[in-house]
Amino acid sequence: MVGFKNRYMVMEVFLDPNRDLGVDDPIIITQYNVSKAIKDGILVNFGECGLASSLGSFQVKYVNPITKLCIIRTSREEYQKVWSAITMVRRIGNCPVLFNLLDLSGSIKACKDAALKCDEMKFEHYKLAAGAPLSADVNQHMQNCLEKIKILEH
């Protein structure tokens, strides 16, 4: 018996830096937000049939709201459709966004390693950009995200 063949994509989400900063509810990147935006993109660009064929193994496995990194799983047969729909997503909620593919892999382990490396580099950059020492809450949240990605096998 052969298992399902999947593709894993490490994606970086770029938020529009010119968005209205006066809004009380800033956009928070979550698994639900990213999943909904991608599903809507598939529906708009490939119709109901394209969405139905893509949903079999589609899942947003991991999202880091600080570094804006996410891991997306899809079937090997549908990954090009999902990838092209992701590149056409322009909004999450009311916030303009762009997606950038950082890594494409056939195994969760290789994808996890690439995401962990990228997350650590982005967090170091985040600490340098902040200038002052980060609060304990931010450090704890980032450590929780790093631990979550380390145990991401299923």
Side-chain angles (χ1 to χ4, degrees):
M1 188 165 124
V2 177
F4 290 110
K5 302 289 185 177
N6 291 315
R7 290 289 180 255
Y8 297 88
M9 295 179 269
V10 178
M11 305 292 289
E12 185 176 23
V13 181
F14 292 108
L15 300 177
D16 181 15
N18 298 323
R19 70 184 187 277
D20 184 15
L21 297 176
V23 178
D24 291 335
D25 287 333
I27 186 73
I28 297 174
I29 303 297
T30 64
Q31 287 180 325
Y32 174 77
N33 290 346
V34 172
S35 180
K36 182 173 177 356
I38 294 170
K39 287 176 186 176
D40 290 347
I42 296 170
L43 180 63
V44 166
N45 294 295
F46 297 101
E48 291 178 2
C49 224
L51 177 62
S53 67
S54 299
L55 287 181
S57 67
F58 175 79
Q59 184 181 11
V60 177
K61 298 287 282 180
Y62 168 79
V63 172
N64 187 329
I66 295 174
T67 60
K68 310 290 190 272
L69 214 66
C70 56
I71 296 176
I72 300 163
R73 179 189 73 189
T74 186
S75 69
R76 186 169 64 179
E77 293 79 23
E78 300 290 325
Y79 87 92
Q80 290 176 326
K81 183 188 304 178
V82 173
W83 184 9
S84 64
I86 289 171
T87 61
M88 292 183 255
V89 170
R90 293 292 174 246
R91 299 186 94 62
I92 293 180
N94 291 329
C95 183
V97 296
L98 291 173
F99 282 87
N100 181 33
L101 180 71
L102 298 175
D103 188 57
L104 175 67
S105 177
S107 73
I108 187 71
K109 184 172 178 10
C111 194
K112 177 184 78 164
D113 293 342
L116 186 60
K117 182 179 175 183
C118 189
D119 250 356
E120 288 172 345
M121 288 184 348
K122 286 175 82 65
F123 186 56
E124 288 301 318
H125 183 268
Y126 183 78
K127 287 195 297 189
L128 289 173
L134 298 176
S135 68
D137 290 343
V138 172
N139 275 326
Q140 183 61 41
H141 184 71
M142 191 61 198
Q143 291 305 318
N144 290 343
C145 287
L146 291 175
E147 289 300 318
K148 184 178 174 185
I149 200 169
K150 286 179 183 176
I151 61 170
L152 183 72
E153 289 293 330
H154 295 289

